[in-house]
Structure formats: C-alpha cells, structure tokens
Amino acid sequence: MKFKLDIARDVDTDEPGVYIMNLPGGWKFNHDPFDLCHTRAYDSMKELRADIKHSVEPCACAECKRMISAK
C-alpha cells in the first residue's frame, strides 16, 4: 500500500516557511525504527514531497488503530 498525500488534510502551514506533516491514522515515518513518529517538520514543500516518497510506511500502533476505528 502506498501513502497518498492530501495537502489540505496532512500539512499544516501556519508558520511561514515551515511545513508540518501530520500523517493520518495507519501511517508512520520510518526514520527511527525504535520510535513511532507520525509528525515531522520540513523547510519546503519540495523537501516534504521528496521525503514522503521513501519514508512513509503502514503503521499498526495503538494510536493508529484508535484513529482508524474513530472514523
């Protein structure tokens, strides 16, 4: 399964020059195998798009299961 970016849903741009990626339930970043990470900050949209192509994978943690069941 591949993650599909929805900018309106997944990216907060409240601060100028900062893009906060909040993954929806069922997805995590794979940068650190010992830490579940569902949120990351980026300096540009180009950096964000490049990173999520290789670093987002399915997640089955308790928080994700709760988010999915709440839908």
Side-chain angles (χ1 to χ4, degrees):
M1 186 175 353
K2 186 169 173 130
F3 176 73
K4 182 162 174 61
L5 176 64
D6 179 342
I7 293 172
R9 176 193 67 192
D10 303 330
V11 181
D12 290 334
T13 57
D14 295 339
E15 257 184 73
V18 178
Y19 300 88
I20 307 293
M21 177 71 184
N22 299 297
L23 292 173
W27 298 98
K28 68 177 180 176
F29 290 101
N30 62 10
H31 295 282
D32 184 353
F34 301 108
D35 184 33
L36 289 175
C37 180
H38 298 101
T39 304
R40 286 188 59 99
Y42 298 92
D43 295 327
S44 69
M45 188 59 73
K46 182 178 179 180
E47 178 187 16
L48 183 150
R49 289 181 188 274
D51 187 48
I52 65 170
K53 288 180 182 179
H54 307 289
S55 64
V56 176
E57 62 186 29
C59 181
C61 72
E63 181 181 354
C64 285
K65 288 178 183 177
R66 182 184 49 76
M67 290 172 65
I68 291 169
S69 67
K71 286 184 183 179

